[in-house]
Amino acid sequence: MSRLRIELLGPIRVTCDGEPLRFAYDKQAALLAYLCLTQGRPVTREKLGLLLWPDKPPAAVQTNVRQALTRLRQFLETAGQGAGALLAGPDFVQLALPAG
């Protein structure tokens, strides 16, 4: 498995085996940062939606959360973290990166 490093102080920076990774969207970086801070604890999709899209109608929020999670899962898989790095159920999401 690749070594993923996530730095949250200052600008969000992510490296994989020392190589910088770039986010396609700012919300993707914000989502990863929030899930890092809550790692090990499930977060409701509703809470994520309210944090990232507080001014959008509920249907748009649900769509945005689903799309952001898909992009984040792809990002983590590209970084060599595997499909299990992001656990998602119908109502919750949880980051499950190995410690280290």
Side-chain angles (χ1 to χ4, degrees):
M1 184 174 292
S2 301
R3 178 158 166 73
L4 186 69
R5 180 179 174 95
I6 302 170
E7 298 177 21
L8 300 178
L9 295 177
I12 298 169
R13 293 188 305 180
V14 179
T15 58
C16 180
D17 293 332
E19 294 296 319
L21 299 176
R22 304 280 181 247
F23 292 99
Y25 303 94
D26 291 339
K27 298 281 185 176
Q28 185 182 24
L31 178 58
L32 179 59
Y34 186 77
L35 291 173
C36 281
L37 295 173
T38 61
Q39 186 170 356
R41 297 184 314 261
V43 178
T44 65
R45 288 174 180 253
E46 180 181 13
K47 181 168 185 151
L48 293 174
L50 290 173
L51 287 169
L52 296 172
W53 297 279
D55 57 339
K56 298 286 185 191
V61 169
Q62 289 175 352
T63 299
N64 290 349
V65 168
R66 186 173 51 254
Q67 290 173 346
L69 290 171
T70 297
R71 288 186 197 111
L72 182 57
R73 179 176 283 115
Q74 292 167 345
F75 179 86
L76 292 170
E77 288 176 2
T78 300
Q81 299 309 300
L86 186 64
L87 307 175
D91 298 322
F92 76 93
V93 179
Q94 183 176 344
L95 192 61
L97 293 173

